[in-house]
């Protein structure tokens, strides 16, 4: 059971697992390569609040139907006697409450199945930088202090599955000689190294998306609106990319680790020998206005031209975005993205 945490190469790991079935080892055949939504929906009492269900405006009845569907798949996988090791991977599994984590362990134990939990952690300040980029990509409007909650993500599994079945690894150590190679050794099967996913954003892409998130526009509540927003975001990331000559955003923009992380760092060192340094200052909230200067008129004109949308130099970035986002056609952008991804 690979439970993340978030921003520790989980997308690349899951992509390498896709379709795996050999020598009695199988990657669980949920519909998505990331098992987060399936496992969270099965085991969380808070399943109705999952951001993907809410963004796509699913009703409680629809979510309950998906829960039954996911649970049936899990039961079928566990009843297949040809499988000696079933691999499940989803970073949102670590978002289950302590009680829910214990219930998950009990579910497998009642079937006489031993659960081996793999937990990858990351240095808090680099994690914060990567996590904040992902949050903004998902719609976050403010850069608030965040806490990795190292202990909370694993506490229920320690109690329910037994500390002897918990393995914690440093992300920084795993990537030194290749993340997938290292994870292959952990699981005990050779995985194929594939192109890294979820690369860091550039400052220009981050700034544009952050400003877009703060527009007074409804971009969630239906699958159509959600898709439109995500395609616009993907387009900004691909245009303002490192391969197009823009620079990876510096971690100095994400000095946003909550001071309470200190308690978890002490606990993690005592329990597992995992040690990270803690800076001697509190997180500072960065204002959205600080990112406006990151976007030059030249870059903005080029981006809007690429999108086949007009850009008015006499208006602010926010005003241009608001006017053009309403005109933006998702079917047109889909064709652009297909051409972009063809060359990636």
């Amino acid at each position: 059971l690979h439970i993340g945490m978030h921003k520790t190469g989980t997308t690349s790991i899951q992509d390498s697992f896709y379709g795996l079935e050999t020598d009695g080892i199988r990657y669980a055949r949920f519909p998505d390569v990331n098992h987060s939504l399936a496992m969270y929906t099965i085991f969380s009492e808070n399943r109705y609040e999952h951001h993907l269900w809410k963004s796509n405006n699913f009703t409680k009845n629809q979510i309950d139907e998906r829960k039954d569907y996911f649970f049936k798949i899990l039961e079928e996988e566990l009843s297949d006697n040809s499988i000696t090791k079933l691999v499940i991977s989803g970073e949102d599994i670590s978002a289950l409450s302590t009680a829910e984590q214990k219930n998950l362990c009990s579910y497998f134990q009642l079937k006489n199945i031993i659960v081996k939990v793999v937990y990858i952690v990351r240095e808090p300040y680099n994690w914060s930088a990567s996590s904040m980029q992902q949050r903004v990509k998902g719609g976050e409007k403010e850069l608030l202090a965040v806490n990795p909650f190292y202990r909370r993500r694993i506490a229920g599994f320690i109690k329910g599955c037994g500390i002897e079945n918990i393995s914690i690894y440093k992300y920084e150590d795993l990537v030194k000689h290749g993340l997938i190679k290292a994870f292959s050794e952990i699981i005990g099967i050779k995985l194929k190294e594939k192109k890294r996913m979820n690369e860091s954003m550039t400052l220009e892409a981050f700034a544009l998306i952050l400003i877009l998130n703060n527009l007074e526009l409804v971009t969630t509540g239906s699958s159509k609106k959600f898709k439109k927003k995500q395609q616009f975001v993907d387009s900004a990331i691909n245009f303002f990319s490192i391969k197009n000559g823009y620079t990876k955003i510096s971690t100095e923009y994400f000095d946003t680790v909550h001071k309470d992380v200190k308690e978890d760092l002490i606990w993690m060192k005592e329990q597992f020998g995992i040690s990270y340094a803690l800076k001697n200052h509190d997180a500072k909230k960065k204002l959205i206005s600080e990112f406006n200067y990151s976007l030059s008129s030249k870059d903005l004109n080029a981006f809007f031209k690429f999108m086949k949308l007009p850009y008015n130099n006499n208006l602010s970035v926010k005003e241009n975005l608001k006017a053009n986002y309403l005109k933006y056609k998702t079917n047109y952008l889909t064709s652009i993205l297909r051409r972009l991804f063809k060359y990636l």
Side-chain angles (χ1 to χ4, degrees):
L1 186 68
H2 170 225
I3 63 168
M5 52 189 302
H6 293 79
K7 313 315 298 178
T8 57
T10 51
T11 302
S12 295
I13 290 169
Q14 290 156 0
D15 191 50
S16 297
F17 266 125
Y18 183 73
L20 174 68
E21 184 170 353
T22 182
D23 298 327
I25 302 176
R26 175 188 290 167
Y27 190 57
R29 295 179 294 189
F30 290 113
D32 295 320
V33 65
N34 184 343
H35 301 154
S36 287
L37 186 61
M39 293 295 286
Y40 189 86
T41 302
I42 292 172
F43 291 101
S44 177
E45 294 300 319
N46 200 37
R47 65 182 66 88
Y48 307 111
E49 299 302 311
H50 193 281
H51 65 95
L52 288 178
W53 294 138
K54 292 187 73 173
S55 296
N56 288 283
N57 205 31
F58 271 63
T59 65
K60 286 189 175 182
N61 286 339
Q62 288 175 317
I63 295 170
D64 286 337
E65 288 175 1
R66 296 302 288 176
K67 176 195 173 184
D68 294 341
Y69 169 65
F70 292 144
F71 185 68
K72 181 182 178 182
I73 292 174
L74 181 60
E75 288 275 288
E76 289 174 349
E77 294 288 70
L78 297 178
S79 63
D80 189 336
N81 293 326
S82 69
I83 302 301
T84 57
K85 182 185 292 185
L86 184 70
V87 181
I88 297 173
S89 174
E91 54 271 34
D92 282 354
I93 300 173
S94 66
L96 294 170
S97 70
T98 298
E100 290 164 353
Q101 291 174 13
K102 290 171 66 177
N103 289 339
L104 184 152
C105 292
S106 296
Y107 163 78
F108 286 101
Q109 289 165 349
L110 288 172
K111 295 179 177 292
N112 294 316
I113 294 171
I114 297 172
V115 180
K116 297 287 187 180
V117 179
V118 177
Y119 182 38
I120 302 175
V121 295
R122 186 172 178 178
E123 191 276 329
Y125 297 94
N126 284 323
W127 173 84
S128 173
S130 186
S131 177
M132 189 54 66
Q133 291 176 56
Q134 190 65 32
R135 286 167 179 251
V136 166
K137 184 179 177 181
E140 187 70 58
K141 296 181 178 182
E142 294 186 275
L143 305 186
L144 303 175
V146 291
N147 192 332
F149 291 115
Y150 296 112
R151 186 173 185 174
R152 193 173 75 182
R153 295 178 188 276
I154 196 74
F157 292 115
I158 292 174
K159 294 177 181 178
C161 294
I163 197 167
E164 70 278 6
N165 291 315
I166 309 294
S167 298
I168 298 186
Y169 302 89
K170 272 187 172 184
Y171 172 74
E172 297 80 9
D173 291 341
L174 298 184
V175 297
K176 285 179 182 177
H177 304 293
L179 177 64
I180 303 306
K181 179 182 178 182
F183 206 84
S184 295
E185 294 172 356
I186 292 170
I187 298 298
I189 188 169
K190 188 173 182 180
L191 301 171
K192 292 182 179 180
E193 188 86 44
K194 296 185 179 180
K195 179 179 173 63
R196 281 193 66 186
M197 307 295 288
N198 281 345
E199 296 286 354
S200 295
M201 275 192 258
T202 62
L203 179 57
E204 290 81 5
F206 184 86
L208 190 65
I209 296 167
L210 185 61
I211 295 168
L212 175 64
N213 291 346
N214 281 274
L215 297 183
E216 295 177 2
L217 297 171
V218 178
T219 56
T220 59
S222 73
S223 58
K224 184 177 180 180
K225 290 177 182 177
F226 180 70
K227 183 179 180 181
K228 179 177 180 178
K229 167 71 181 297
Q230 290 307 116
Q231 287 182 331
F232 196 95
V233 166
D234 289 341
S235 183
I237 292 172
N238 279 290
F239 184 85
F240 294 109
S241 64
I242 295 172
K243 64 181 176 62
N244 284 342
Y246 295 92
T247 305
K248 177 181 175 181
I249 189 169
S250 171
T251 56
E252 70 181 53
Y253 288 94
F254 306 101
D255 185 16
T256 53
V257 180
H258 199 286
K259 61 182 179 181
D260 288 351
V261 73
K262 181 178 181 180
E263 296 177 8
D264 279 12
L265 293 179
I266 293 171
W267 169 84
M268 198 157 53
K269 184 176 181 179
E270 291 175 347
Q271 293 293 318
F272 297 99
I274 300 286
S275 181
Y276 287 122
L278 182 68
K279 294 180 181 179
N280 293 319
H281 60 265
D282 294 338
K284 301 178 184 65
K285 178 180 174 181
K286 277 192 174 291
L287 301 176
I288 296 166
S289 59
E290 295 182 50
F291 289 88
N292 284 332
Y293 77 90
S294 307
L295 294 156
S296 72
S297 177
K298 179 182 177 182
D299 288 335
L300 287 167
N301 274 281
F303 173 70
F304 279 89
K305 183 178 180 181
F306 165 75
M307 296 285 286
K308 292 194 173 180
L309 294 170
Y311 186 80
N312 188 338
N313 289 303
N314 295 318
L315 299 177
S316 67
V317 180
K318 183 176 181 180
E319 290 169 326
N320 270 287
L321 271 175
K322 187 171 184 178
N324 284 298
Y325 183 76
L326 294 173
K327 299 174 184 175
Y328 149 65
K329 306 290 185 182
T330 57
N331 57 348
Y332 167 70
L333 185 56
T334 300
S335 66
I336 292 177
L337 289 174
R338 284 174 180 162
R339 290 199 299 271
L340 272 173
F341 290 130
K342 180 181 180 181
Y343 298 102
L344 294 180

